[in-house]
Amino acid sequence: MSTDSAAATAFWIPGPGQGELRREAIPPLPAGQVRVMALYSGISRGTESLVFQGRVPPSEHERMRAPFQAGAFPGPVKYGYASVGRVEAGPDELEGQRVFCLHPHQDVYQVPATAVTSLPEDLPPGRAVLAANMETAINGIWDAGISPGDRVCVIGAGVVGALLAYLAARIPGTRVTLVDLQAERAPLAQALGATFALPEHGPSEQDRVIHVSGQPAGLVRALELAGHEALVLEMSWYGDTPVTLPLGEAFHARRLTLRSSQVGQLPPARAPRWDHRRRLALALDLLRDPVLDRLISGESDFADLPRVMRSLVEGAGQVLCHRIRYPAAMSNP
């Protein structure tokens, strides 16, 4: 195995709304580490958009750090958490393996061998960029406590919302509705096993309502659709945007529960038996369903990432997960 030093190109955010590719040296490979040649990485328009815009509140600068982030908020910072690649050097049992790593957008990188997780043999590496989003959705399903037969409403048909609907619809007897402002998401909901509704037509008296639209109005609607004694799970992260809720109306009389969910921490009931590595392995296993390719809404070359990131943040509402393709994926996928 080769342990020589190498060079890499990484995506950096110098300041709010700016992106650039920078060259950086990679030292000789230390024992116990792997060198990964990136194939794909993924961008979803939630947290990464807020980071790109410099909207991480100072109080969250430490909690929001990604595992292999370099720099600090609001910038310069190297950020990202959905990289799929091939192990080029490292322990014999990992060499040649396709792996997932919570690493920023970079074409070659070195991390401890324990930081990569091998993909299932039948999972295409291009779909595996959804692993971090699937982990978030799994945590949300656990935090929501969905049971067989529940009426479940997911508000926000982005990547995480779509994955939540997909998982919830596979719990026996559930009736799942995916709510979004874009009527064009109806075929996606149907493919995932859910029905679709615009916000004004969302079903009432729901047992569980999961909000992941990122818009305060969506959370207000979630409270309206919840049934008596129901749980509303808030999975949106608003960055520095304040949120006002109508808690003076029927909120108390209906005895609603409003609970937060965040992927960085396992639910207390799971923590004694689960760790992040076990949850990630489950996420990768659940991604083997080809229907989830529908969540990849576009693909661009790594060389175009600074321009692409700006356009995604400014842009098109149809974006789900945008996939970044690296030269290694084109030469030897």
Side-chain angles (χ1 to χ4, degrees):
M1 64 182 173
S2 172
T3 59
D4 295 341
S5 60
T9 303
F11 175 72
W12 281 79
I13 301 169
Q18 306 169 47
E20 65 183 29
L21 296 180
R22 295 182 179 179
R23 294 286 286 172
E24 47 190 78
I26 296 182
L29 186 66
Q33 293 206 2
V34 291
R35 181 176 298 156
V36 179
M37 184 76 68
L39 299 172
Y40 299 96
S41 60
I43 306 169
S44 54
R45 290 189 66 228
T47 302
E48 284 200 70
S49 292
L50 293 172
V51 170
F52 186 74
Q53 296 173 81
R55 292 179 53 200
V56 178
S59 65
E60 302 305 303
H61 281 188
E62 286 305 311
R63 275 191 289 258
M64 278 294 299
R65 288 190 66 87
F68 296 101
Q69 173 182 324
F73 303 119
V77 62
K78 181 171 69 174
Y79 189 83
Y81 47 79
S83 178
V84 177
R86 181 185 295 105
V87 175
E88 296 294 302
D92 291 342
E93 66 273 16
L94 285 174
E95 279 204 48
Q97 291 283 312
R98 296 178 304 179
V99 296
F100 178 85
C101 184
L102 295 164
H103 198 279
H105 308 282
Q106 185 166 319
D107 60 358
V108 184
Y109 53 87
Q110 293 177 176
V111 294
T114 54
V116 300
T117 302
S118 296
L119 306 188
E121 287 189 6
D122 56 348
L123 175 60
R127 191 187 308 148
V129 298
L130 296 168
N133 298 122
M134 179 62 91
E135 274 199 279
T136 302
I138 291 169
N139 231 52
I141 294 292
W142 286 343
D143 281 329
I146 300 170
S147 299
D150 276 348
R151 294 167 294 189
V152 180
C153 184
V154 179
I155 299 180
V159 177
V160 173
L163 288 170
L164 283 160
Y166 170 83
L167 294 177
R170 279 147 184 80
I171 298 172
T174 54
R175 287 176 285 170
V176 180
T177 305
L178 186 56
V179 171
D180 198 85
L181 289 168
Q182 299 181 58
E184 296 83 0
R185 294 277 161 92
L188 173 63
Q190 184 177 13
L192 299 175
T195 58
F196 177 85
L198 294 169
E200 60 269 27
H201 301 307
S204 60
E205 296 301 316
Q206 298 294 288
D207 298 296
R208 295 289 185 267
V209 184
I210 305 177
H211 177 241
V212 69
S213 80
Q215 300 299 318
L219 181 54
V220 173
R221 188 60 176 142
L223 294 172
E224 295 170 347
L225 297 181
H228 189 76
E229 296 268 6
L231 171 72
V232 175
L233 187 72
E234 174 57 285
M235 296 189 67
S236 295
W237 189 66
Y238 300 93
D240 56 3
T241 301
V243 177
T244 301
L245 296 178
L247 301 184
E249 298 179 5
F251 178 80
H252 292 283
R254 293 162 61 211
R255 294 177 53 85
L256 299 180
T257 297
L258 177 59
R259 178 185 298 165
S260 65
S261 177
Q262 208 279 332
V263 70
Q265 184 170 325
L266 293 161
R270 300 269 171 178
R273 299 171 306 282
W274 287 76
D275 57 20
H276 291 84
R277 191 169 186 85
R278 182 183 175 190
R279 186 183 62 189
L280 177 56
L282 173 62
L284 290 168
D285 185 63
L286 292 173
L287 285 172
R288 293 187 297 171
D289 189 343
V291 74
L292 298 176
D293 284 331
R294 288 174 172 260
L295 302 187
I296 308 295
S297 57
E299 184 174 277
S300 301
D301 290 336
F302 178 52
D304 294 330
L305 182 51
R307 176 189 59 79
V308 167
M309 186 68 81
R310 283 192 296 271
S311 66
L312 292 178
V313 169
E314 290 167 1
Q318 295 299 318
V319 172
L320 287 165
C321 177
H322 192 89
R323 185 166 61 201
I324 300 302
R325 179 180 58 237
Y326 292 78
M330 295 178 276
S331 61
N332 187 15

